[in-house]
Amino acid sequence: TKGGYPHYMLKEIMEQPDSIFNSMRGRLLYEEGISKLGGLQGYEDRIVRSQRIIISACGTSWHAGLVGEYMLEEYAGIPVEVEYASEFRYRHPIIRPEDTVIFISQSGETADTLASLKEAKKKGALCLGVCNVVGSSIARESNAGVYIHAGPEIGVASTKAFTSQLVVLSLITLLLARKKNLSLIEGQNIIREMQSLPEKVKKILESNDQIEKIADEYMSCRNFLYLGRGYNFPVALEGALKLKEISYIHAEGYPAAEMKHGPIALIDENMPVVFIATKDAVYDKVISNIEEVKARKGRILAIVNEDDDYIEKLVDHVIRVPKTINMLQPILSVIPLQLLAYHVAVKRGLNVDQPRNLAKSVTVE
Ligand code: M6R
C-alpha cells in the first residue's frame, strides 16, 4: 500500500509527477490554447461574467486558494478574494448572485468549508467545488466543479493534493483568461509549460538525498521563518505549515517584505530562514531581503532556480528547482519544502503520517 516507501507522506510526495499529470490529463487543448473542464460545462459564461470570485477553504487548500487569487487576477482579470471558510461562514460576508465562489477541499468533507458552501448557495452565488474525493459532500453540494484527480491522499499532511489543486486552478485560469483577453499564443505557452511540469517535478525529486542531508543540519532548530514574495508567498505559508504539523517545530510564513515590520527582530544566528527565491518578477526584491537577514547573521536555506549562481554565494544552503512561468512556479518550489518537513520529522522520530492532535479531514468545526 505504501508502494515500498516507509510512509504514505513520502509515497505521496514521490507520486507527484503522476498526480500532476493526472490532474491535467485530457483537459488541455493545445490547438485552441485553452483548457476543457467537463465539470464546468454550461457554466463557463456565467463564471466569465462574474463580478468577483471568492475562494473559500481551510489549511493547505486555503494556501492553494491564495495562489489561485494571483493567477486569476493576473490572467483572467476578475477580482478575487480568498477567505478562511471558518471566518467566511460566521461573519456577514457580502455574497451576490453575480459572484462565483470556489470551494477548495481535498477531502470534500471539511465542516467549515461545507458550511460556507451552504451559506453561499443560499445567497444565490454560483458555487464551484475543487475536490479530490469523488462524490464527497462538497462535490455533491456545489453547482458544478472540477475534480483534481490526485488519487487517494492518506498522509495527514497534504502534499500531492496541493500541487494538483494548483494545476486545476491553472486550468480554470487558462479557461477564463482565453475567454477574455489572453491570446492564443499565450494560452499555448501556458499549456506547454503545464505539460513540462511532470518532468521538472521528477528532477526536483532527485534532490531527495541532498534535502535529507540538509535536514540533519536543521532538525534541532526550534523556530523557522519561511519567506517568499508574489506567487511564492503562499508557498512560504505552506512550507511553514508542513513543518509545524509533522515536526512540531514552530514555523511562520511571511511575505518577505513584511519581515521589516516585525519578524526581523527575531533574527540572529539561531534563526533559520527559508527563502523561496526563484527568478520571477520580484527576484531582485527577494535578494535584498536575503541580504537583510544575512547582515543579522541568520542561517539561510534558499529555494532557487537551476541557473542561479548568485544566491548560493549569499546563503548557507540552496536547493534547486527548474524554471517555469511565474504562475506555475509554486507547483515546483513547494516540493523541496515538503521533503524538508518530511525528513526533519522522521529524524525527530515522529509519526509523520498521523501527527498528534490532527485528523485527515476535519469534519467538526
Ligand atoms: O480536506 P481539506 O482540503 O478541506 O482539508 C483542509 C485542511 O484541513 C488541510 O489542508 C490541513 O491543513 C492539512 N493537514 C494540511 O497539510
Side-chain angles (χ1 to χ4, degrees):
T1 47
K2 293 182 199 158
Y5 290 103
H7 301 100
Y8 282 110
M9 183 180 176
L10 185 59
K11 171 180 179 269
E12 288 158 7
I13 293 173
M14 292 296 176
E15 263 169 13
Q16 288 175 107
D18 293 330
S19 51
I20 287 170
F21 177 78
N22 288 335
S23 303
M24 50 197 178
R25 188 211 302 268
R27 290 171 161 179
L28 290 171
L29 304 179
Y30 186 78
E31 290 299 306
E32 294 157 61
I34 198 168
S35 58
K36 188 181 92 193
L37 298 165
L40 299 185
Q41 236 162 32
Y43 291 94
E44 287 111 328
D45 290 337
R46 184 158 167 208
I47 306 169
V48 172
R49 277 187 279 107
S50 33
Q51 294 293 308
R52 181 172 66 147
I53 295 176
I54 303 168
I55 299 177
S56 171
C58 305
T60 288
S61 300
W62 182 79
H63 296 155
L66 290 179
V67 180
E69 171 180 21
Y70 284 38
M71 294 176 178
L72 286 160
E73 291 205 343
E74 178 173 353
Y75 287 93
I78 302 174
V80 180
E81 278 168 48
V82 188
E83 297 262 0
Y84 281 118
S86 55
E87 288 298 314
F88 193 51
R89 63 180 287 201
Y90 282 122
R91 59 186 196 85
H92 296 278
I94 298 166
I95 309 173
R96 293 162 302 205
E98 307 77 41
D99 294 332
T100 294
V101 192
I102 304 178
F103 301 87
I104 307 176
S105 176
Q106 186 286 131
S107 61
E109 301 297 344
T110 300
D112 284 321
T113 312
L114 182 59
S116 71
L117 161 56
K118 290 183 176 155
E119 189 58 29
K121 233 171 126 180
K122 213 177 286 166
K123 302 226 162 112
L126 176 63
C127 295
L128 308 180
V130 171
C131 298
N132 193 30
V133 177
V134 175
S136 56
S137 304
I138 292 171
R140 280 185 281 113
E141 286 277 340
S142 36
N143 302 111
V146 186
Y147 282 116
I148 66 171
H149 294 311
E153 190 181 65
I154 312 288
V156 165
S158 185
T159 53
K160 65 173 179 172
F162 179 70
T163 48
S164 285
Q165 286 165 346
L166 296 185
V167 167
V168 164
L169 289 166
S170 315
L171 292 168
I172 296 174
T173 299
L174 177 62
L175 179 73
L176 302 186
R178 284 286 290 135
K179 287 192 176 281
K180 295 187 86 174
N181 291 324
L182 196 78
S183 69
L184 172 63
I185 301 290
E186 286 172 297
Q188 290 179 327
N189 183 43
I190 293 177
I191 292 181
R192 273 196 307 274
E193 289 291 337
M194 291 187 76
Q195 286 169 334
S196 68
L197 288 172
E199 278 310 310
K200 291 178 179 175
V201 171
K202 265 188 211 158
K203 267 190 102 177
I204 302 171
L205 295 172
E206 287 167 12
S207 310
N208 186 34
D209 292 347
Q210 182 214 350
I211 298 171
E212 185 178 354
K213 286 197 195 92
I214 292 176
D216 276 323
E217 310 222 6
Y218 291 91
M219 63 170 282
S220 313
C221 298
R222 301 191 50 197
N223 297 285
F224 273 77
L225 215 51
Y226 283 70
L227 301 176
R229 299 181 78 141
Y231 280 102
N232 283 321
F233 155 53
V235 177
L237 299 183
E238 175 61 6
L241 177 62
K242 288 292 88 97
L243 190 73
K244 269 185 275 214
E245 65 179 335
I246 59 167
S247 75
Y248 315 151
I249 297 173
H250 170 240
E252 280 191 78
Y254 263 97
E258 271 295 303
M259 189 177 64
K260 52 172 104 39
H261 300 282
I264 199 163
L266 295 167
I267 293 172
D268 61 17
E269 63 279 7
N270 300 315
M271 181 60 136
V273 184
V274 180
F275 271 98
I276 302 101
T278 52
K279 281 192 183 159
D280 55 17
V282 286
Y283 175 75
D284 292 336
K285 307 268 174 205
V286 177
I287 302 255
S288 351
N289 298 137
I290 290 179
E291 281 160 350
E292 286 156 10
V293 172
K294 205 66 229 164
R296 290 162 183 83
K297 302 200 164 50
R299 286 168 74 184
I300 303 177
L301 165 60
I303 310 301
V304 302
N305 280 134
E306 282 170 337
D307 61 346
D308 193 311
D309 48 14
Y310 184 71
I311 292 184
E312 73 180 330
K313 296 186 197 114
L314 294 176
V315 305
D316 301 271
H317 298 93
V318 293
I319 303 170
R320 297 182 181 279
V321 296
K323 178 105 193 73
T324 181
I325 52 172
N326 297 346
M327 168 178 111
L328 300 175
Q329 194 70 56
I331 298 173
L332 302 179
S333 48
V334 75
I335 292 174
L337 305 183
Q338 298 170 342
L339 284 168
L340 179 70
Y342 171 78
H343 288 297
V344 168
V346 170
K347 285 174 196 295
R348 289 166 70 98
L350 301 172
N351 183 346
V352 294
D353 282 335
Q354 268 171 316
R356 66 184 183 200
N357 311 338
L358 285 170
K360 181 63 184 162
S361 66
V362 184
T363 52
V364 291
E365 61 171 300

